[in-house]
């Protein structure tokens, strides 16, 4: 194997030598007129200076006596050598060029990182703060430095340093100036196209940002190219400044405004939080003012607030807080509005209503108040006074105990159609639907039909107008002409070529794809966010992290090198594998050694040229260790010298003989492995591999314990008996399980406690109530303290008293004067109601009798059927006949006299 390694090393040395020679040839060939081409050089020593064949740098030599064939063979041989040297030099040049370009990229990225670090260091030094709040601004500035990181979402193209740009004040996204101007113009056109009013030019319709939809006025459409801070118009391109920056101090107002200005140089993205130090007091103004950052100047001293709450009785106990204090959280007993009920409520809500109906008698004496829990007087009876009939054409003065009758006239109320009126007689309840036949026109105005007024008329004609998307027809049945917006999805492929437009069908261009794609390095730690669609043309970012791939050999870590694509270089560390004997392999790593593979192809004859040897990647085994070692037996009874590669543990076939953990017996196993525990060097003490004593414990038990020790043979005292004993509680309902050690070591009082189940005693007292004591021994106490309700004979008054006092007859509850007065009033009301019912019955019978007599006498007028209701006549109705007859006579006489006088 060492011979194979030496042969591979010599091959690598020759390749390095030929590569160096190739570099020198390429340099001289380029100086003479370009690299040598295989078909242009003839092998003759010719000095070339122009664009012809390259002149080889090695002069051709030959004897004048050699033949022409020998010269051609020599020339071809030298030409092949020069060709190989030039190819090797070109390969080396390409490798050097790529490595130098990557180093330049890393150098440029390092310069940008140093510039950013210097910028934020100056910022933090001026404000005496830290840069923990600058990460968002740092990200925008870093993307501005990276080539191709900024992308215009409208055209999906990179934003270059020398292009005019515009930055949104809402999301700080950067767009090309022509792109955003076209976007604003198209947006305003789409908004104004469906409008037909004449004053459109006077209205200021907004246009949205393509990314965040932040709206701008028409007058805010960008027309000129400014730097980020807006101070300089058309900022000059400076390679030492952030692209599109003027290099001056930003001085933009912070958001939210605090009176200070941004101290960073003109930068993209949002301004960081204000880092100025201000001296300010806490919310409650109790603590002394302390210096704090302006961006986090509001603070709490955590002391009690102490301000009076809205209830006016208590103070705020919350720690120092902003804004108004919360409602009072305390609870107090408060009466309802009517004063009947008392309950515990929040102190912040003193006014409340119970759900009881008032029920007080109204001034009419016939009805009660139906309002729910109110204050003040109940008011007049709602059925008293002048009341209209259902059609509201006639008014009646009736007692509150009588319902208003119908007047008999036509209802004449406007129906739901709003055109016709109700033709029924005065009636109670809602009017019927309109059933008149009318000539109706459909909603689209193309058809007419005669049908009931209450039914709508919609034809089956589908609308053929184009919706606002200018693509799809309305196709709504009987459309009035005001077609709804198109509800179909747009579905057009966006500029990213990955997603489709999720908006409803619209006119004009679709919004840019809002998604972003992460372009990762090989390890995934360096991320470059690019707009969707740019990931195909964006190169992976340069990663400065170390390669995190696991090693392909046995080493825990590979040699340090930067993150990269492709396979890792071969491992050059020493093997250091632990051999079976415990020593380390000193050879270099041979897990992926290249070994020459021979015997795969046998030549068919001497005319077949031998092929180049093939190399395969394989792992070579470590050589065996030959160091002699003095080896003990497993039980450390004896030691014998053995070779390192064959040395191993063995048994001497003796008994172990070590004292077991029980301190009473010894191990009877054959010589076995011995493990030292906690630095134990005593060979007479048992190890974990020794046998365990399985005999039972024979030590005496403590007095009173009926159980035996549950442990096997052990050296120390027996543990306390923790077995459970089953006993009955005092109430004989529950089985209790108590540890043996507790019941045997307890006195009488403790045993009484252990025998209690801690539940309420289930026994009944003589009064019928349950004993309130916890499970106890002996008789239950006879003094019952439970509350019972006691009422007066009329059941109006009630009172809660102790059961024992009620049973003993110590207390009683009699009716008071109010109870007697209520009984008297109740009887009077019942008598009045009975009398009113009798009078109402007599009045109804008299009315029926008069109606029957009128039918018999044939006094029905106009053949209209209506019920006669006795109504109290007014003074005019009683004496109008006696007044109208003389007045009519005088009028007739005067008319006759005038006619005679005129003749």
């Amino acid at each position: 194997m060492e011979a194979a390694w030496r042969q591979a090393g010599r091959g690598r040395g020759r390749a390095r030598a030929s590569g160096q020679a190739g570099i020198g040839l390429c340099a001289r060939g380029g100086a003479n007129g370009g690299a040598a081409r295989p078909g242009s050089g003839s092998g003759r020593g010719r000095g070339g200076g122009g664009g012809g064949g390259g002149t080889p740098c090695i002069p051709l030599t030959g004897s004048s006596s050699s033949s022409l064939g020998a010269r051609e063979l020599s020339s071809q041989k030298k030409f092949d050598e020069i060709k190989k040297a030039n190819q090797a030099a070109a390969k080396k040049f390409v490798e050097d060029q790529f490595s130098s370009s990557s180093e330049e990229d890393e150098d440029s990225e390092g310069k940008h990182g140093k510039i950013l670090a210097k910028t934020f260091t100056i910022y933090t030094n001026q404000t005496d703060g830290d840069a923990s709040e600058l990460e968002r601004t740092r990200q925008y500035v870093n993307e501005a430095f990276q080539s191709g990181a900024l992308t215009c979402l409208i055209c999906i193209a990179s934003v270059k340093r020398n292009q005019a740009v515009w930055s949104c004040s809402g999301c700080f996204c950067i767009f090309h100036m022509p792109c955003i101007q076209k976007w604003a113009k198209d947006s305003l056109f789409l908004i104004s196209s469906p409008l037909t009013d004449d004053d459109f030019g006077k209205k200021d319709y907004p246009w949205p940002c393509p990314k965040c939809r932040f709206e701008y006025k028409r007058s805010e459409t960008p027309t000129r190219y400014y730097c980020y801070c807006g101070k300089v118009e058309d900022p000059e391109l400076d390679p030492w400044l952030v692209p599109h920056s003027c290099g001056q101090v930003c001085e933009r107002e912070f958001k939210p405004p605090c009176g200070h200005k941004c101290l960073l140089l003109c930068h993209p993205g949002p301004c960081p939080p204000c880092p100025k130090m201000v001296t300010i007091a806490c919310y409650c103004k109790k603590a002394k003012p302390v210096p704090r950052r302006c961006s986090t100047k509001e603070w709490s001293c955590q002391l009690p607030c102490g301000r009076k709450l809205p209830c006016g009785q208590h103070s705020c106990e919350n720690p120092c807080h902003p804004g108004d204090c919360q409602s009072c959280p305390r609870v107090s007993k408060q009466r309802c509005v009517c004063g009947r009920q008392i309950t515990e409520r929040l102190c912040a809500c003193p006014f409340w209503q119970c759900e009881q109906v008032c029920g007080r008698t109204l001034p009419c004496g016939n009805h009660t108040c139906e309002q729910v829990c109110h204050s003040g007087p109940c008011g007049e009876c709602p059925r008293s006074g002048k009341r209209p009939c259902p059609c509201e054409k006639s008014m009646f003065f009736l007692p509150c105990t009588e319902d208003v009758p119908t007047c008999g006239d036509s209802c004449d109320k406007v129906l739901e159609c709003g055109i016709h009126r109700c033709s029924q007689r005065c009636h109670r309840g809602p009017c019927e639907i309109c059933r008149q036949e009318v000539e109706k026109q459909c909603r689209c105005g193309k058809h007419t039909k005669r049908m009931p007024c209450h039914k709508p008329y919609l034809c089956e004609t589908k609308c053929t107008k184009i919706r606002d998307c200018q693509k799809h027809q309305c196709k709504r049945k009987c459309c009035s002409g005001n077609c709804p917006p198109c509800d179909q999805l747009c579905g057009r492929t966006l500029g990213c070529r990955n997603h489709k437009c999720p908006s409803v069908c619209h006119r004009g261009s679709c919004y840019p794809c809002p998604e972003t794609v992460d372009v990762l390095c090989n390890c995934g730690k360096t991320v470059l966010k690019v707009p969707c669609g740019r990931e195909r043309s964006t190169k992976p970012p340069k990663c400065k992290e170390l390669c995190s791939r696991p090693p392909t050999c046995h080493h825990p870590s590979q040699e340090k090198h930067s993150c990269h694509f492709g396979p890792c270089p071969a491992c050059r560390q020493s093997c250091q594998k632990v051999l079976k004997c415990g020593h380390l392999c000193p050879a270099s790593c041979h897990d992926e050694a290249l070994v020459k593979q021979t015997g795969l192809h046998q030549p068919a004859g001497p005319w077949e040229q031998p092929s180049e040897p093939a190399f395969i990647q394989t792992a070579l085994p470590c050589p065996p260790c030959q160091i002699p070692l003095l080896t003990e037996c497993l039980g450390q009874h004896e030691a014998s010298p053995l070779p390192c590669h064959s040395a191993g543990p063995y048994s001497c076939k003796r008994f172990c003989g070590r004292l077991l953990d029980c301190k009473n017996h010894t191990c009877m196993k054959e010589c076995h492995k011995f493990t030292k525990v906690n630095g134990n060097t005593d060979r007479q003490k048992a190890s974990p591999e020794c046998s365990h004593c399985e005999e039972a414990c024979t030590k005496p038990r403590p007095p009173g314990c009926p159980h035996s020790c549950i442990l096997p043979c052990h050296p120390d005292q027996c543990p306390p008996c923790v077995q459970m004993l089953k006993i009955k509680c005092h109430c004989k309902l529950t089985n209790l399980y108590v540890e043996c050690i507790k019941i045997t070591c307890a006195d009488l009082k403790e045993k009484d406690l252990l025998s209690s189940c801690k539940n309420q005693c289930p026994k009944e007292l003589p009064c019928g109530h349950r004993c309130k004591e916890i499970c106890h021994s002996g008789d239950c106490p006879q003094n019952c303290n439970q509350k019972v309700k006691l009422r007066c004979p009329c059941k109006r008054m009630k009172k809660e008293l102790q059961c024992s006092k009620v049973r003993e007859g110590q207390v009683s509850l009699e009716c008071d004067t109010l109870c007697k007065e209520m009984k008297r009033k109740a009887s009077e009301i019942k008598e009045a109601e009975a009398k009113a019912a009798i009078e109402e019955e007599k009045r109804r019978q008299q009315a029926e009798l008069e109606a029957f007599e009128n039918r018999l006498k044939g006094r029905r007028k106009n053949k209209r059927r209506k019920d006669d209701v006795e109504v109290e006549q007014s003074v005019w109705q009683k004496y109008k006949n006696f007044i109208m007859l003389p007045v009519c006579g005088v009028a007739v006489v005067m008319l006759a006299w005038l006619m005679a006088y005129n003749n």
Side-chain angles (χ1 to χ4, degrees), residues 4 45 119 186 192 226 242 267 270-271 292 325 396 416 468 525 557 628 664 682 696 706 743 784 792 877:
T119 302
D186 293 345
S192 62
Y226 287 94
V242 178
H267 61 88
C271 294
R292 293 178 61 87
C325 299
F396 296 89
E416 293 181 356
D468 57 351
K525 295 182 179 179
S557 62
N664 300 321
D682 188 4
I743 200 69
C784 181
C792 65
Q877 291 176 346

Side-chain angles (χ1 to χ4, degrees), residues 574-587:
S574 59
C575 179
Q576 295 297 316
K577 282 186 179 180
V578 179
L579 303 177
K580 295 181 180 180
C581 60
H583 299 98
L584 300 179
C585 179

Side-chain angles (χ1 to χ4, degrees), residues 471-593:
K471 293 181 181 180
H472 305 102
Q473 288 184 348
C474 178
K475 293 185 179 181
R476 189 173 62 160
K477 290 184 178 180
C478 195
C479 182
S480 61
N482 187 16
C483 302
C486 185
D487 55 354
Q488 300 186 29
L489 290 179
C490 177
R492 288 184 290 180
T493 304
L494 299 177
C496 64
R497 305 299 179 185
N498 295 329
H499 304 94
K500 292 186 177 181
C501 181
S503 305
V504 294
C505 190
H506 58 86
R507 289 183 294 174
S509 302
C510 299
Y511 277 96
C513 182
E515 303 292 335
T516 58
V517 181
D518 294 341
V519 179
L520 308 176
C521 65
N522 188 40
C523 63
K525 295 182 179 179
T526 304
V527 181
L528 179 61
K529 289 185 177 294
V530 297
C532 183
R534 291 279 296 175
E535 68 275 6
R536 302 182 187 90
S537 60
T538 303
K539 294 182 180 179
K542 296 292 183 181
C543 182
K544 297 181 181 179
E545 300 291 335
L546 296 178
C547 181
S548 59
R549 293 182 184 178
T552 55
C553 59
H554 67 278
H555 290 103
S557 62
Q558 58 182 350
E559 294 177 327
K560 294 182 179 180
H561 59 280
S562 300
C563 175
H564 62 91
F565 290 93
C568 294
C571 181
R572 299 179 182 178
Q573 305 179 61
S574 59
C575 179
Q576 295 297 316
K577 282 186 179 180
V578 179
L579 303 177
K580 295 181 180 180
C581 60
H583 299 98
L584 300 179
C585 179
S588 59
C589 183
H590 46 81
D591 287 350
E592 297 178 349

Side-chain angles (χ1 to χ4, degrees), residues 207-227:
W207 57 272
C209 169
K211 183 178 181 182
C212 65
R213 308 298 191 265
F214 184 80
E215 292 185 348
Y216 293 90
K217 299 180 180 178
R218 176 191 290 268
S219 58
E220 295 177 349
T221 303
T223 57
R224 296 184 179 181
Y225 168 41
Y226 287 94
C227 62

Side-chain angles (χ1 to χ4, degrees), residues 15-30:
R16 285 195 294 268
S18 63
Q20 294 173 0
I23 293 174
L25 288 170
C26 181
R28 289 181 290 181

Side-chain angles (χ1 to χ4, degrees), residues 637 654-658 667-672 683 690:
H637 300 119
R654 302 178 186 176
F655 287 111
C656 178
R658 291 184 176 85
C667 179
M668 299 303 293
K669 279 186 177 182
E670 189 181 296
C671 178
H672 57 81
R683 296 190 176 184
C690 293

Side-chain angles (χ1 to χ4, degrees), residues 347-368:
C347 187
C349 303
F351 301 101
W352 66 285
Q353 289 182 321
C354 63
E355 297 181 356
Q356 294 185 3
V357 179
C358 178
R360 287 184 286 185
T361 305
L362 297 176
C364 65
N366 299 322
H367 301 95
T368 57

Side-chain angles (χ1 to χ4, degrees), residues 323-338:
D324 298 333
C325 299
Q326 298 179 356
S327 302
C328 183
R330 298 195 178 184
V331 178
S332 60
K333 292 185 177 181
Q334 300 173 9
R335 287 183 178 272
C336 63
V337 176
C338 64

